[in-house]
Structure formats: C-alpha cells, structure tokens
Amino acid sequence: MKDTAMTRFLDATDVAKLVGAIGVPVALAQLADHVRQDFLRWEQFEKSARLASHSPLGVIELMPVSDGVQYAFKYVNGHPRNARFAMPTVMACGMLAEVETGFPLMLADLTLGTALRTAATSALAAHAMARPGSSVMALIGNGAQAEFQTLAFHAMLGVREVRAYDIDREATARLARNLAGVPGLSIVPVNTVQAALAGADIVSTVTADKTRATILTPDMVRPGMHLNAIGGDCPGKTELHPDILRQARIVVEYEPQTRLEGEIQQLAPDAPVTELWQVLSGRAPGRGAASEVTIFDSVGFALEDYSALRWLYATACARHAGRHVELVAMPPDPRNLYGWMMEAQAPRSAAPQETALA
C-alpha cells in the first residue's frame, strides 16, 4: 500500500490537461499498447459481463475486472437523449485498487478515457483485421467519439481520408473543424451513408440511438471491407442488418457480454465468433482472405477500462498530475473508527491572523 495512505484523484480537467500535454495521437498509441498487453494476459483476469441497469431512456453500468494484483471498475452511463439537455450521452468514472489490501490507488474521470480506449481498441482490432494498406474510412455517426476514432485510425493504420456522415450536419462540420490541421488527413463531409461508403476500406458505425437500427444493409458492403461496429452496445441496440453478420468473420471482446449487447444478439446463440485476445495472440486469424468481410463487434469491455486506468495512473504519477485525497477513512488505530470520528469533530485551533501591510 502507498505510504501516504492517500488516493490519487484526477477530475475531468486533470485528465484533459494530461492527455493534452501528451498529445492525443501519442496517448492513443500508448493506450493501445496497454490494451494489447492486457489482452495478451487474458487468462490471468477474473472476468464478467457488466452489471447493467436499463431504463427506457438509457443504461447505467458497473464494469469490474481483476488480474489478482489490481482491481478496477468503471461506472458509466449511456443516455442517447442527453444531448437535448446539453449533457454528454456517455459519462464515466473509474477506480483502480490494489488487491492485497483493497486500498483505492486512484479515482478518476473516465469520460475522456472511455473515448480514448474505445478508439484505441477499435484501431488495434482493425490493424489485425483490415486489409493491409487500407487508407479510406467511412465514419457513420459524428458524435463525441468521432475525432478519437479518426485520430486513432490515422495514427495507427495510416488512414488518410475519412468520409464522414451524420444526420446532424453540424456534427460533421465540427469534426472537420476540429481536425482541420492534422497533417495528411482529409475529412470529406457527405450527405448519405452510401456516399460515405464509396471507396471505403474500413467502415466505422458510431451511432447513439437506443434502437434496433439498420445503418448498413448487405448491398452496401463490398468484399474485403472491415466493419468497426461500436454503436450497438446494449440489448435492443444494433446498427447492422443481420445478413451482413451471417456472411462475415466476426471478432468480439468478451463473448458472454457481446451475445447480450452486441450486433450478434441478432444471431443464433451458437453462431461462431472469435474473441479479440485470440486474434492478438495469433491463435486465430483476423482475416482469412482479401475478399472476406470482417467485423469487430465492439461493445466495450472492462479489461479495456482497466488498461485505461493502468495507463492513466502510471502517466499521472510520472507527471505528478491530479491531487491526493482522503477517499477512505484511515484511523491510526483501525479498530477505533468511532474514536477517530469523534476526534475529527473537535474544534481546531484558529490559525494566526495575517496582518495587512499598511
């Protein structure tokens, strides 16, 4: 346990400044490396599907995971209609703790971290599944995740053109403005899904509505495409026509969770899928042929959040980011919690008054 018996706390601004100081492309690459490392240790982790509380308007979830040395969990929501209240559709915070004592090492905002780890994992999977040399991506849905997805695929796969579509044209315009200065990257706003897919090697669907939508139909998908389906992430929320799934190689993060929440909820329970750790470790191919359609059916998994928290903690410690807080009671005598509480009530002596200079 840390000698200070204090928990490192990173609020949303702390995380934003930390990522900004490093640079988003570098942060994405570092985070992707952490995700890869942890997926290659797949069998060391105690895993479970997330605990979800669903309502007609959204979902609130807890996502735990542990490797026996550290324990992590994320609290996260998904409320597509939050935009009408000028609130994010996804908000998150997370904790990293040591298993030996249970002491919480860090509590941090993970709203930005979730966007980063989602994009990093998407690009990591695409690197193993998309055709080599893929340079054009269709981005369907240009919300809060759009810039991160674009930068991750640009930095890690060399994507140079993103054909962007959203039913809200201002969202696409914002994406183009935000990334206008990125060297070697072109954002091409288009007016239809079909126009976005024209010439695309990779298709990322990142829509938010909690509904069984059909963003892509089989006639839109060409041989050799890689589909990065990340918008469908809870029961009753999908983006792809089921016939696309039946004709493709499908890779998922954690099969028991994706069966409930991913695109494959539309398929039979025994429909074949491969887990990402198998592809990254070389136990299974990400692609069988150049003409094959591949799908990364990503719903987000707790191991990715552990990777994000592990990266965030190490980076924050190295750069002295955030602050230390007494998150949990640490009485000098652990058996005398009551006495510690009463001592905390005692009035403190008044601090000496400063004298104003004349």
Side-chain angles (χ1 to χ4, degrees):
M1 189 178 68
K2 295 295 181 186
D3 293 336
T4 58
M6 301 278 275
T7 300
R8 186 175 293 272
F9 175 66
L10 297 173
D11 66 20
T13 300
D14 293 329
V15 177
K17 288 182 177 179
L18 187 60
V19 174
I22 296 169
V24 174
V26 174
L28 285 164
Q30 291 179 353
L31 186 47
D33 188 53
H34 278 63
V35 172
R36 177 189 289 277
Q37 292 172 16
D38 292 331
F39 269 84
L40 293 178
R41 299 193 296 129
W42 183 260
E43 295 173 348
Q44 297 177 21
F45 286 89
E46 177 185 321
K47 301 172 287 290
S48 63
R50 53 191 162 208
L51 178 64
S53 174
H54 293 278
S55 74
L57 298 179
V59 62
I60 295 174
E61 300 168 329
L62 292 177
M63 303 172 64
V65 71
S66 175
D67 66 352
V69 177
Q70 292 181 320
Y71 173 92
F73 78 87
K74 181 174 78 173
Y75 165 94
V76 63
N77 78 304
H79 285 70
R81 300 183 187 180
N82 272 5
R84 67 179 61 179
F85 307 117
M87 294 178 65
T89 59
V90 174
M91 296 173 282
C93 60
M95 180 179 287
L96 183 69
E98 58 181 20
V99 169
E100 182 181 8
T101 65
F103 184 78
L105 299 171
M106 182 181 72
L107 177 65
D109 169 75
L110 267 188
T111 307
L112 179 55
T114 296
L116 289 166
R117 68 82 154 141
T118 301
T121 305
S122 294
L124 186 64
H127 191 272
M129 299 175 67
R131 289 179 299 183
S134 295
S135 62
V136 180
M137 180 169 77
L139 185 59
I140 314 302
N142 302 158
Q145 179 68 212
E147 287 87 351
F148 301 98
Q149 287 283 321
T150 298
L151 290 172
F153 277 81
H154 176 60
M156 296 173 59
L157 277 84
V159 165
R160 55 177 174 74
E161 179 180 312
V162 172
R163 303 180 64 81
Y165 170 74
D166 195 292
I167 56 174
D168 179 2
R169 293 190 177 184
E170 175 52 34
T172 305
R174 184 216 68 236
L175 169 65
R177 287 194 304 271
N178 283 347
L179 300 186
V182 178
L185 176 65
S186 174
I187 307 295
V188 181
V190 296
N191 295 324
T192 65
V193 173
Q194 290 82 353
L197 269 61
D201 307 298
I202 297 168
V203 181
S204 287
T205 55
V206 202
T207 60
D209 284 343
K210 190 178 180 182
T211 183
R212 284 193 181 275
T214 305
I215 306 302
L216 298 184
T217 54
D219 59 291
M220 300 178 183
V221 179
R222 298 193 320 275
M225 275 184 168
H226 172 66
L227 310 182
N228 177 43
I230 63 175
D233 58 3
C234 69
K237 183 181 178 187
T238 59
E239 297 178 312
L240 307 184
H241 190 286
D243 285 346
I244 298 175
L245 303 170
R246 296 186 180 102
Q247 300 169 12
R249 180 186 297 267
I250 303 172
V251 172
V252 303
E253 291 138 317
Y254 180 55
E255 183 178 347
Q257 180 173 292
T258 311
R259 292 283 181 193
L260 300 174
E261 301 178 348
E263 296 295 331
I264 61 172
Q265 66 185 277
Q266 304 177 83
L267 300 182
D270 59 350
V273 298
T274 302
E275 289 184 325
L276 180 58
W277 73 271
Q278 295 171 303
V279 173
L280 296 179
S281 66
R283 298 193 188 187
R287 169 175 292 275
S291 61
E292 187 175 39
V293 173
T294 57
I295 299 174
F296 181 43
D297 184 4
S298 175
V299 299
F301 182 52
L303 184 54
E304 297 152 30
D305 299 309
Y306 166 75
S307 300
L309 287 164
R310 185 168 71 85
W311 170 78
L312 193 56
Y313 183 65
T315 306
C317 289
R319 292 175 173 261
H320 307 290
R323 61 187 184 275
H324 286 95
V325 297
E326 281 187 291
L327 186 65
V328 294
M330 297 289 289
D333 179 358
R335 298 167 298 180
N336 191 19
L337 182 62
Y338 182 85
W340 171 86
M341 178 191 70
M342 297 308 296
E343 287 182 6
Q345 312 305 314
R348 297 179 181 179
S349 58
Q353 296 293 317
E354 293 185 2
T355 304
L357 297 177

